[in-house]
């Protein structure tokens, strides 16, 4: 199937500021694009593109004072098949995790692992570890959080989403990732499409 994806984001910039964007399809899906995946800046501004440590395509530019608009519209081919399932996936104890996976257990500004640890234990400690537990977390977030664009705000964290029970796409991800991390399951939000 062919999916159209895009955005039209506007900011009122109070003073010049450097902005880093993560608004492009992940490089692993570039071959699936059926149209260019280019961020348009208005006013036109030079933007540098690079790949970050997680493999995401990023853009960096200096936004000047005034109205800034970022937009894009592209097409991507997708099989429509569900993600692969591995019911036998197991949890690896923290002391046996590869060093580069440990960073996916850390707290962040939006994923307050420390503040969600007791909540995660209360909700999911009785669920068998491994695939079942991750699926239970995802299902819980999907059923307990309501979606709505009007709920978006740049400061919303996973704990806010848990407390308020509403948000936008990234808020669902932040809460699920935080609950996984709170149970020592390495997790990260991957940009894609």
């Amino acid at each position: 199937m062919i999916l159209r994806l895009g955005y039209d984001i506007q900011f009122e910039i109070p003073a010049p500021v450097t902005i880093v964007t993560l608004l492009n399809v992940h490089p692993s899906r570039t071959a699936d694009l059926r149209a260019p995946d280019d961020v348009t800046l208005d006013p036109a501004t030079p933007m540098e593109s690079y790949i970050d440590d997680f493999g995401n395509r990023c853009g960096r530019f200096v936004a000047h004072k005034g109205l800034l608009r970022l937009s894009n519209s592209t097409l991507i081919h997708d099989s429509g098949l569900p993600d692969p399932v591995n019911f036998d996936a197991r949890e690896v104890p923290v002391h046996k995790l590869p060093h580069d996976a440990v960073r996916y257990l850390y707290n962040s500004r939006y994923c307050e692992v420390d503040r969600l640890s007791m909540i995660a234990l209360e909700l999911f400690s009785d669920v068998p570890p491994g695939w079942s537990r991750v699926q239970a977390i995802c299902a819980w977030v999907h059923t307990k959080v309501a979606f709505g664009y009007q709920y978006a705000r740049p400061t919303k964290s996973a704990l806010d989403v848990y407390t308020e029970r509403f948000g936008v796409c990234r808020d669902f991800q932040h809460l699920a990732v935080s609950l996984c991390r709170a149970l020592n399951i390495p997790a990260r939000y991957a940009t894609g499409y």
Side-chain angles (χ1 to χ4, degrees), residues 12-65:
E12 183 65 40
I13 307 294
V17 63
T18 299
I19 295 180
V20 174
T21 65
L22 285 94
L23 295 172
N24 295 98
V25 169
H26 193 274
S28 64
R29 297 297 306 266
T30 300
D32 297 321
L33 287 168
R34 297 301 185 257
D37 181 28
D38 298 323
V39 178
T40 301
L41 298 175
D42 184 17
T45 306
M47 182 165 51
E48 171 189 8
S49 183
Y50 67 95
I51 304 296
D52 72 7
D53 292 341
F54 299 106
N56 301 306
R57 184 173 158 206
C58 304
R60 182 172 57 184
F61 63 95
V62 177
H64 299 285
K65 181 178 179 177

Side-chain angles (χ1 to χ4, degrees), residues 11-12 18 32 52 55 63 69 71 78 83 86 98 110 123 128 130 143 146 152 183 188-191:
F11 299 97
E12 183 65 40
T18 299
D32 297 321
D52 72 7
R69 180 178 179 199
S71 60
D78 190 81
D83 291 338
N86 181 355
Y110 297 108
L123 291 172
T143 58
L183 294 168
R188 77 178 187 103
Y189 173 68
T191 63

